[in-house]
Amino acid sequence: MPDSDTRATGSPGGSPGGSPVGSPVGFPVVLVVAGASAHALGEGVDELVPREHLPALVTDLERRRGPRWVVWSAASGLRDVVDAGVAVGRCWDLAEAHRLLHGGWAATPGHVWAACRGLDEDAVPRARAHRRGFDADLFDVPDDPALVDGAGHLRADALGAWAGDPGRPTRLRELAGLALRCRDDQARSVASLAGDPDTAARLERVVWSESAAAVLCLELERDGLPIDRATAVSLIADAAGPRASDERDAARIRAERDALVLRHAPPGREQTDLRNPAQVKALLAAAGVDVPNTRAWVLEPYRASVPLVEALLRWRADERIATTYGYRWLDSHVGPDDRLRGAWSACDGAAGRMTAQNGLHNLPASLRPAVAAEPGHVLVRADLGQVEPRVLAVVSGDRSFAAATRADDLYAPVAAELGTERAKAKIAVLAAMYGQRSGAAGQALGDLERRYPVAMGLLDRAYADGVARRPLRTWGGRLIRLGAAGPPLGEGAGADEDAPGIRATETTDGGRASAGEDGAARAAHDAARGRYARNAVIQGSAAELFKAWAATVRASLGPVGGRIVLCLHDELLVHVPVARADETVALVARCLDDAARRWAGTDAVRFVTDTSVVGRWSDAKG
């Protein structure tokens, strides 16, 4: 995490814009933006400004005070500031903190307020859509000035028309005051998860890095991913054919692509619709390939021996580019500045991974040569190595397994400990985290359980929690729901059921099967849920580490003139001037050491990166 501070939680007051004596760096200041106005509220800060003046206000307070900006969400409170090019420092994103503490995706101001007040989440008011063709409903009543309704819930339009009413400027201040209360409530909830002050501080740092990741998402949307347009056009043409002049021409080009497959079709099957799975299955059967479905992994074993299958799989890759990443995609999402842009999210609503739209997270490998640094710049690509087993060492607290992480290749010392070859040791470790117990994986897993019982015990408890529908918490405290909602924070079955230092939670349904579910189906569903839980507690924790690393790199790039332009699972892509490339390579490694130590609360586990300096993304190995 890139920052540390002391925290002031006194009631807002003082002269507008004034600086109280002894006000610490990192004290909370709320930013609420609605309509044409914005309000900043905190200790010694109480300013209502026109929305267009918000970037200047933030710049001034960043320079003089270094506050931690409290926002209902980074998107609602900081987008204007980020779009203006202002470097936002510390942040507490109420929505991201809510997702961390309570799991799931829904994190509107209403959900945040309900959770902080202990209200029923299902009763959170929803905004009512206006009926098309009507300015108002026949039964509309005059505007209710109350921010909170009779049941204690925050009104659905709190950040919209209600707060943005220019005739009622005090509404923004009232909403800002509620945001401060929510921040304090969330801070207390974070502390309640911890069994000791060190764990409480560690979990709070996770909130900071999750919030910083939300700001990074806004910067990624603003800056975009650099694209070599000419190369992109050439690659699309190789896969999809030339740009069609009209619909008739498009049909001709599609038919030419289809013909490359259908020339291998048995007699009578030349008119097969390759976009119809049932017809494709019949085509394959006529060619002697009897398969239960036409998924790629099912067909792959036939690729080398059946020309039809080879042609079909190639066609599918080209068809994906033609239909999803073709000329329309290029025209719609790559701007005149040759940057690919899409919406980003700091959390997927499940284990907490960052996600993006418009191909930023699932660009076909064949198009990666089009991702290229601008003239005078390079891409520093850094990928976390063997991150999940290293995270397992942290989460489990297994000292023997942690010792293996000191090696560049973790699997080598594990293999030596098991008395087997590296390949089998790797299979065993991955099988442990993904719940595979059959074949060679199952045999190797037994040895792993005997040599590393603490790490394997953590995974077994996660599996049992998944089967019983008990929610899990990651190392950073993120709630992963596996059925019914858990009890209030701080209540649960006992610390030995969760990651060290974090109190457990449990559900109220006792893991009962759904009505009408037979025994075999129930067992299969339970096992699948157990496997998911076994992996989610590791993947979710790894996502926290990645965001802590990304946030630390982001905060350190100013002196080298670099920008993060892509976050993909465990991989960072940084765009920097050529002259600062070596410095940036050292920077990302140093930031990983710092972020990992702060996130883990220890330096006993070593994390590594595979880092390279390239002109094009496709030039990076791995």
Side-chain angles (χ1 to χ4, degrees):
M1 293 67 173
D3 58 10
S4 60
D5 60 20
T6 54
R7 185 172 65 251
T9 56
S11 60
S15 59
S19 179
V21 176
S23 178
V25 171
F27 74 102
V29 173
V30 175
L31 282 182
V32 178
V33 181
S37 302
H39 203 112
L41 181 67
E43 186 174 339
V45 178
D46 191 351
E47 295 196 39
L48 176 69
V49 298
R51 187 166 181 165
E52 63 267 24
H53 294 173
L54 182 60
L57 174 65
V58 170
T59 299
D60 178 60
L61 288 174
E62 281 277 359
R63 177 181 57 82
R64 293 191 297 109
R65 308 282 297 281
R68 184 172 300 281
W69 302 105
V70 178
V71 289
W72 288 104
S73 70
S76 69
L78 291 169
R79 185 178 296 278
D80 290 359
V81 176
V82 170
D83 286 349
V86 177
V88 176
R90 302 165 180 85
C91 177
W92 185 293
D93 185 310
L94 295 170
E96 295 306 327
H98 175 84
R99 292 184 178 115
L100 190 75
L101 289 165
H102 301 282
W105 170 253
T108 66
H111 288 89
V112 172
W113 175 254
C116 289
R117 298 290 92 189
L119 302 174
D120 181 7
E121 180 180 329
D122 292 335
V124 171
R126 297 185 179 184
R128 183 177 58 182
H130 285 294
R131 295 185 299 169
R132 180 175 296 181
F134 290 84
D135 291 331
D137 193 287
L138 178 63
F139 301 103
D140 277 351
V141 296
D143 178 41
D144 182 354
L147 178 56
V148 176
D149 66 20
H153 283 286
L154 191 66
R155 59 186 299 144
D157 63 344
L159 271 180
W162 183 88
D165 186 342
R168 296 178 171 86
T170 60
R171 288 183 170 182
L172 275 177
R173 189 182 192 280
E174 186 180 355
L175 188 57
L178 263 59
L180 271 180
R181 290 175 61 184
C182 286
R183 192 219 69 96
D184 289 346
D185 287 340
Q186 288 181 342
R188 284 189 289 270
S189 293
V190 168
S192 77
L193 288 177
D196 58 81
D198 288 343
T199 302
R202 176 173 61 78
L203 297 184
E204 186 174 52
R205 289 195 295 268
V206 173
V207 175
W208 296 349
S209 60
E210 294 289 317
S211 300
V215 177
L216 173 58
C217 285
L218 297 179
E219 294 173 347
L220 289 165
E221 292 179 12
R222 178 195 67 196
D223 297 336
L225 181 67
I227 297 293
D228 179 346
R229 187 181 295 270
T231 297
V233 169
S234 176
L235 293 170
I236 292 170
D238 289 344
R243 190 185 285 265
S245 58
D246 53 32
E247 283 302 317
R248 184 175 180 179
D249 193 34
R252 176 188 63 79
I253 294 170
R254 284 195 299 271
E256 290 178 354
R257 286 203 310 273
D258 295 357
L260 297 176
V261 179
L262 296 175
R263 67 185 181 184
H264 299 287
R269 298 287 179 177
E270 297 88 351
Q271 301 304 313
T272 297
D273 180 358
L274 298 178
R275 296 160 187 83
N276 184 314
Q279 290 191 31
V280 171
K281 188 172 183 290
L283 168 67
L284 291 167
V289 180
D290 188 10
V291 288
N293 57 64
T294 62
R295 293 175 179 173
W297 65 271
V298 174
L299 297 180
E300 191 64 37
Y302 300 92
R303 186 168 200 157
S305 58
V306 182
L308 173 62
V309 173
E310 164 67 16
L312 178 63
L313 292 176
R314 284 182 175 273
W315 174 88
R316 282 185 175 174
D318 291 344
E319 181 74 359
R320 183 181 180 219
I321 291 177
T323 57
T324 306
Y325 299 100
Y327 300 106
R328 182 178 300 175
W329 166 81
L330 188 68
D331 296 342
S332 300
H333 303 304
V334 178
D337 60 350
D338 292 337
R339 293 289 180 119
L340 170 62
R341 291 181 173 85
W344 281 82
S345 171
C347 171
D348 61 6
R353 283 186 177 272
M354 295 177 71
T355 62
Q357 298 178 2
N358 298 343
L360 285 160
H361 259 202
N362 46 15
L363 193 70
S366 59
L367 292 184
R368 285 192 176 191
V371 178
E374 294 179 346
H377 291 73
V378 291
L379 297 171
V380 175
R381 181 258 192 187
D383 189 24
L384 293 176
Q386 302 171 342
V387 62
E388 289 185 357
R390 294 172 190 272
V391 164
L392 173 59
V394 172
V395 173
S396 66
D398 190 317
R399 294 182 179 180
S400 297
F401 201 61
T405 69
R406 308 313 300 176
D408 290 345
D409 178 11
L410 171 146
Y411 299 119
V414 171
E417 185 70 20
L418 299 182
T420 188
E421 62 267 23
R422 179 191 180 279
K424 186 174 288 187
K426 179 178 180 179
I427 290 174
V429 172
L430 296 179
M433 292 185 294
Y434 286 91
Q436 182 181 351
R437 290 185 171 272
S438 59
Q443 298 171 14
L445 189 56
D447 293 335
L448 196 68
E449 289 172 339
R450 286 187 289 273
R451 293 292 185 177
Y452 302 105
V454 177
M456 298 304 105
L458 180 282
L459 295 174
D460 288 343
R461 290 195 300 275
Y463 181 91
D465 284 341
V467 170
R469 292 182 170 87
R470 289 189 295 267
L472 301 167
R473 287 200 181 271
T474 62
W475 181 250
R478 181 177 301 280
L479 181 67
I480 300 174
R481 299 180 180 181
L482 295 166
L489 291 169
E491 299 179 9
D496 63 335
E497 293 295 319
D498 274 332
I502 302 178
R503 296 176 185 170
T505 57
E506 60 181 3
T507 59
T508 56
D509 69 352
R512 291 190 296 272
S514 302
E517 189 176 39
D518 63 35
R522 177 174 57 189
H525 291 162
D526 286 349
R529 196 167 52 250
R531 289 192 299 272
Y532 170 80
R534 192 180 184 100
N535 185 244
V537 72
I538 303 302
Q539 281 206 3
S541 300
E544 294 160 2
L545 169 63
F546 175 81
K547 283 183 274 188
W549 176 42
T552 307
V553 171
R554 168 188 172 268
S556 306
L557 282 174
V560 300
R563 296 277 191 187
I564 296 175
V565 292
L566 185 68
C567 296
L568 180 64
H569 305 314
D570 306 320
E571 180 179 353
L572 281 180
L573 209 59
V574 185
H575 192 249
V576 296
V578 172
R580 312 306 289 269
D582 291 343
E583 189 177 349
T584 304
V585 169
L587 181 150
V588 297
R590 188 168 61 250
C591 287
L592 177 59
D593 290 342
D594 183 42
R597 183 178 63 255
R598 291 172 179 267
W599 170 79
T602 177
D603 58 4
V605 175
R606 178 172 175 247
F607 289 88
V608 298
T609 63
D610 174 16
T611 306
S612 54
V613 179
V614 295
R616 296 180 184 273
W617 189 16
S618 56
D619 294 337
K621 296 180 180 180

